[in-house]
Amino acid sequence: MPKQKSNGKNNSQYDDLYKIRHSAAHVMAQAVLERYPEAKIAIGPPIKDGFYYDFDLGRNPDGSPRTFTPEDLEAIEKRMRQIIAGKHRFIKRVISADEARELFKDQPYKLELIEGLEKGGVDEYGEPVEGAVEISTYRQDAFEDLCRGPHVEHTGQIPPDAVKLLHVAGAYWRGDENRPMLQRIYGTAWKNKKQLKAYLNRLEEARKRDHRRLGRELDLFSTNHEMVGGGLILWHPKGALMRHLAEEHAKKMHLEGGYEFVYTPHIGRSVLWETSGHLDFYKENMYSPIEIEGQEYYLKPMNCPFHVQIYKSRVRSYRDLPIRFAEWGTVYRFERSGVLHGLTRVRGFTQDDAHLFCAPEQMPEEIDRVLHFSISLLQDFGFERFQLYLSTRPEKRVGEEEKWDAAETALLEALKRSGHPFDINEGDGAFYGPKIDIYVEDALERPWQLSTIQFDFNLPERFDLTYVGADGAQHRPYMIHRALMGSMERFFGVLIEHFGGIFPVWITPVQVAVIPITHEQNDYAAGVAARLRDAGLRVTMDDSNDRMNAKIRNAQLQKIPYMLVIGGREVEQQTVNVRLRNGRRLGAMSVEEFIVLAREACEKREVI
RNA sequence: GCCGACGUAGCUCAAUCGGCAGAGCAGCGGUUUUGUAAACCGCCGGUUAAGGGUUCGAGUCCCUUCGUCGGCUCCA
């Protein structure tokens, strides 16, 4: 995963919002110090949508860390508005390291930052900077903070009605879980009240689209921590149907793309995982072994060793290559309890996994193919914006330099040819090979990692994979590990949030609700439903005692794309009256006309 | 795992200072037959997450455990 630029200065380095947020953070720190004079202050950068500041409030008499209360937040926010109203100037001062140490002698975290600044090379947030580092402070009112700036001219330029403190969270100093946990206050700040309101609306919109909420409302999936366990997903019929439709499509694409499907077991002997290196490098993410007849078996966290064994089951010739083994492989990985989240972070999941084995000269084309395949598959599901990342060789790595050179070049060239924007994360590759990650941007412009395409120089060596070349000699194949949707669970979480439950017609679990107005029309309506089912549409027939209005409401809440209202007039004219879930009414048409309409929406993968 | 907030019916939420566990929706039974987002009546539904403690009395206060949520860390 690419490192999120935490200070939000990627594009608009020192724009107005940056200054407002950065200044708001200082004002908040002042307010906190006034309330808790003994508090130690850490860092307070602007971030995407706002800012935060980390504090160490010391300990309670009983030794537990002192924390902020909701009342604190209110009082701090109130005091911030007073400071803002004071129109205090932000005054910059460039000082020496010794002066800084004297100024912040009671602030141990600042002293540590000064230490780093003096050494140079990194800024106060620990990010690399070029050239010598100048130590500076900014003061507003009676509060002076170690800071490189920039800030607004005076506190009055922070719009008081566009600032809001959001919540408190624990955060480790310097992001290191072995160091003290600080109290972080998150806030948001904008140029004006309207922007703040729009942001809060966006949060509310995101809340409504939360896949955990929609999963329950649309009856797609559930979890049951008491009886089943955390991070383990129960797919309900409607969710399972959607997954089936998605898999059906993706599997067809894989077959057309030259992949061969394999099935492999969920457990394997310890020697397999010793050989693959998983027990050396991945053990903390694997579950305890199961003992069978004195042998230890491990639940698989990955499918690769099994695919490698299939490769090794016979002598491979260069004529066989490339070999592309694909499997919807269910894997289990231990995740710490605090990180589990709905469908997007789970302990058991099914990857659309595949492993490509090819000769060196075939490698560039394989990369091109898999990159195109991935983007085009994601486009089929309605994703339109992609951000690609190339992760290059890390310091600790296996494999020969020539292989890294060739693989990185192939990945880079393929990225350039793809026409999609990409960034390079130097040194962020796995120890066993470089990789491309594909992020999709959802309807709320949030990035989600789905695809990953990874070289593997490790397993071919460890398992001594070979093929016989045209020269009759043994050669080592290249191996590429790839998952396009990533995992079915995560993919569905993202899909649900992207569409907010308003799915494209082809994949939506119930496409049509047939709604007779009175019992008089039940027979005709049942006939219509049967004809639609014969035409391959997924239909529900609402012959309950509810009024038509209630039937429509229920269909709307289930986000069913088409509602066919049938009253006396429709029976008489042998038609259906079509209402779309967006409220549009298409009026009366024949059943045949409707079938053509709905089929077209499926073929074109329309949302309607 | 760590910090914080929280945990009451399937869902959303009430319950004054520690004093009879309640409502809407959903479900079930009936009545109603209605023209584009909620008809009406009735019934069912609870070990207040679990366990312990304080108290005449605990949903409410205290402790432990589990879980959820927001972050942090992690996501070879």
Side-chain angles (χ1 to χ4, degrees):
Chain A
M1 184 182 285
K3 299 214 168 48
Q4 281 283 340
K5 296 279 190 285
S6 58
N7 53 14
K9 62 180 186 231
N10 315 0
N11 305 318
S12 45
Q13 184 131 0
Y14 294 136
D15 66 7
D16 291 348
L17 265 182
Y18 180 97
K19 290 186 199 168
I20 287 170
R21 289 168 180 168
H22 199 174
S23 303
H26 279 222
V27 170
M28 180 167 79
Q30 177 184 345
V32 168
L33 276 185
E34 287 174 3
R35 194 172 170 86
Y36 292 105
E38 68 286 6
K40 306 302 176 199
I41 55 176
I43 60 170
I47 53 174
K48 185 178 185 301
D49 300 332
F51 60 91
Y52 68 79
Y53 211 113
D54 288 343
F55 304 93
D56 184 341
L57 296 182
R59 308 240 151 212
N60 288 317
D62 69 356
S64 62
R66 206 158 66 165
T67 58
F68 289 108
T69 64
E71 298 79 64
D72 279 331
L73 275 200
E74 267 176 51
I76 291 163
E77 192 174 312
K78 194 173 159 202
R79 176 61 188 140
M80 283 174 71
R81 286 187 220 292
Q82 291 170 351
I83 297 168
I84 287 170
K87 296 189 179 175
H88 305 288
R89 291 193 63 77
F90 279 91
I91 298 158
K92 182 177 181 180
R93 213 152 62 94
V94 177
I95 55 178
S96 71
D98 284 336
E99 286 173 298
R101 270 190 284 269
E102 173 58 25
L103 187 61
F104 294 105
K105 61 178 185 294
D106 295 328
Q107 291 291 348
Y109 299 106
K110 293 296 179 191
L111 291 175
E112 190 174 326
L113 293 176
I114 293 163
E115 207 67 19
L117 291 174
E118 197 178 24
K119 270 193 218 142
V122 292
D123 65 13
E124 66 266 38
Y125 305 127
E127 292 194 19
V129 290
E130 284 174 27
V133 183
E134 168 187 277
I135 295 179
S136 61
T137 67
Y138 275 81
R139 180 169 65 81
Q140 90 274 359
D141 199 8
F143 176 78
E144 186 165 18
D145 196 4
L146 183 71
C147 181
R148 131 187 97 177
H151 285 280
V152 293
E153 290 165 26
H154 61 82
T155 58
Q157 289 177 354
I158 303 169
D161 54 358
V163 178
K164 188 173 162 62
L165 299 188
L166 296 175
H167 51 260
V168 187
Y172 300 108
W173 168 237
R174 294 253 139 141
D176 182 344
E177 63 181 320
N178 299 311
R179 314 227 28 201
M181 176 157 277
L182 309 173
Q183 301 302 312
R184 173 172 299 177
I185 301 180
Y186 280 97
T188 189
W190 300 86
K191 285 185 188 174
N192 53 53
K193 192 176 178 176
K194 202 173 147 196
Q195 280 188 357
L196 172 66
K197 216 177 154 195
Y199 170 68
L200 295 176
N201 283 343
R202 216 158 68 233
L203 288 185
E204 174 63 18
E205 176 63 18
R207 203 177 64 79
K208 277 194 220 146
R209 282 169 178 257
D210 189 315
H211 69 275
R212 295 164 300 183
R213 175 193 176 114
L214 286 170
R216 187 178 59 242
E217 289 175 357
L218 302 181
D219 198 16
L220 301 176
F221 71 91
S222 64
T223 52
N224 183 332
H225 35 274
E226 278 96 8
M227 296 300 288
V228 180
L232 302 170
I233 305 302
L234 302 173
W235 294 74
H236 295 199
K238 283 178 185 162
L241 176 58
M242 291 184 66
R243 174 170 165 178
H244 166 75
L245 293 163
E247 290 187 2
E248 187 175 55
H249 174 66
K251 284 178 179 171
K252 183 166 156 274
M253 301 294 285
H254 275 74
L255 289 172
E256 287 171 8
Y259 287 80
E260 301 173 286
F261 280 99
V262 300
Y263 291 99
T264 66
H266 285 72
I267 57 174
R269 290 180 57 171
S270 53
V271 63
L272 180 71
W273 307 105
E274 279 158 19
T275 309
S276 69
H278 285 91
L279 286 179
D280 284 334
F281 297 104
Y282 205 69
K283 190 164 189 187
E284 63 277 17
N285 285 291
M286 292 171 68
Y287 292 99
S288 307
I290 303 162
E291 200 192 292
I292 302 172
E293 293 175 335
Q295 294 292 330
E296 290 190 335
Y297 287 73
Y298 283 88
L299 204 46
K300 67 174 169 183
M302 296 186 195
N303 304 298
C304 13
F306 293 109
H307 292 192
V308 164
Q309 290 306 309
I310 296 174
Y311 180 94
K312 273 177 71 81
S313 65
R314 47 167 285 193
V315 175
R316 302 292 177 176
S317 149
Y318 72 97
R319 298 174 195 273
D320 300 329
L321 303 181
I323 287 171
R324 309 184 186 97
F325 291 146
E327 176 179 16
W328 256 246
T330 303
V331 297
Y332 294 88
R333 297 180 185 173
F334 172 71
E335 301 283 0
R336 297 214 259 180
S337 58
V339 309
L340 299 176
H341 182 89
L343 291 175
T344 58
R345 193 77 186 272
V346 294
R347 284 180 173 158
F349 54 96
T350 301
Q351 299 177 301
D352 62 329
D353 206 1
H355 294 91
L356 315 177
F357 304 89
C358 66
E361 62 274 17
Q362 295 171 320
M363 188 256 291
E365 195 198 325
E366 280 305 298
I367 299 290
D368 258 359
R369 286 176 64 127
V370 73
L371 201 51
H372 277 113
F373 185 16
S374 186
I375 299 269
S376 119
L377 187 63
L378 295 176
Q379 282 170 334
D380 287 346
F381 286 101
F383 294 106
E384 288 159 5
R385 295 164 64 88
F386 305 93
Q387 176 71 39
L388 284 54
Y389 293 90
L390 169 62
S391 295
T392 59
R393 67 194 83 184
E395 277 182 30
K396 275 189 70 177
R397 60 181 179 269
V398 301
E400 301 125 41
E401 290 306 289
E402 309 86 72
K403 282 192 172 180
W404 280 91
D405 290 340
E408 287 179 4
T409 306
L411 291 176
L412 185 64
E413 293 303 317
L415 281 171
K416 286 178 183 165
R417 281 192 296 269
S418 78
H420 292 277
F422 68 92
D423 277 330
I424 297 178
N425 289 322
E426 295 286 354
D428 233 24
F431 75 89
Y432 51 77
K435 62 173 180 174
I436 289 175
D437 291 325
I438 302 178
Y439 282 65
V440 299
E441 203 173 84
D442 75 6
L444 297 183
E445 299 183 348
R446 299 169 301 184
W448 299 92
Q449 187 197 341
L450 295 178
S451 312
T452 184
I453 301 165
Q454 310 187 340
F455 265 86
D456 193 328
F457 302 138
N458 186 45
L459 291 183
E461 293 288 336
R462 282 175 169 270
F463 285 101
D464 192 25
L465 299 190
T466 58
Y467 67 92
V468 181
D471 56 2
Q474 302 278 336
H475 298 271
R476 183 83 73 211
Y478 273 98
M479 178 175 167
I480 298 164
H481 169 117
R482 42 113 291 185
L484 305 188
M485 293 188 269
S487 86
M488 293 301 108
E489 287 74 9
R490 184 180 173 75
F491 185 78
F492 265 90
V494 175
L495 199 72
I496 290 167
E497 303 216 357
H498 178 55
F499 288 111
I502 315 279
F503 299 113
V505 179
W506 74 278
I507 201 171
T508 206
V510 179
Q511 296 164 317
V512 186
V514 176
I515 299 177
I517 294 177
T518 77
H519 292 166
E520 297 284 309
Q521 292 89 41
N522 277 0
D523 284 348
Y524 173 76
V528 169
R531 282 163 73 189
L532 298 178
R533 287 192 189 105
D534 285 347
L537 293 167
R538 297 183 291 275
V539 183
T540 178
M541 157 83 172
D542 190 347
D543 55 3
S544 68
N545 286 349
D546 280 335
R547 289 173 57 211
M548 177 204 61
N549 288 295
K551 293 180 183 180
I552 286 174
R553 179 165 195 271
N554 288 333
Q556 287 284 156
L557 290 175
Q558 285 300 301
K559 307 187 195 299
I560 298 171
Y562 300 103
M563 282 153 266
L564 304 190
V565 176
I566 295 171
R569 288 202 294 274
E570 283 72 25
V571 176
E572 183 145 335
Q573 295 164 8
Q574 296 287 294
T575 57
V576 294
N577 208 303
V578 182
R579 175 195 165 100
L580 305 183
R581 62 186 159 187
N582 61 15
R584 245 183 94 202
R585 286 156 67 171
L586 303 184
M589 64 180 75
S590 71
V591 175
E592 282 67 33
E593 280 177 287
F594 172 71
I595 290 172
V596 170
L597 186 102
R599 277 188 171 160
E600 194 180 300
C602 289
E603 275 158 29
K604 292 185 177 166
R605 304 189 190 285
E606 287 173 349
V607 178
I608 73 142

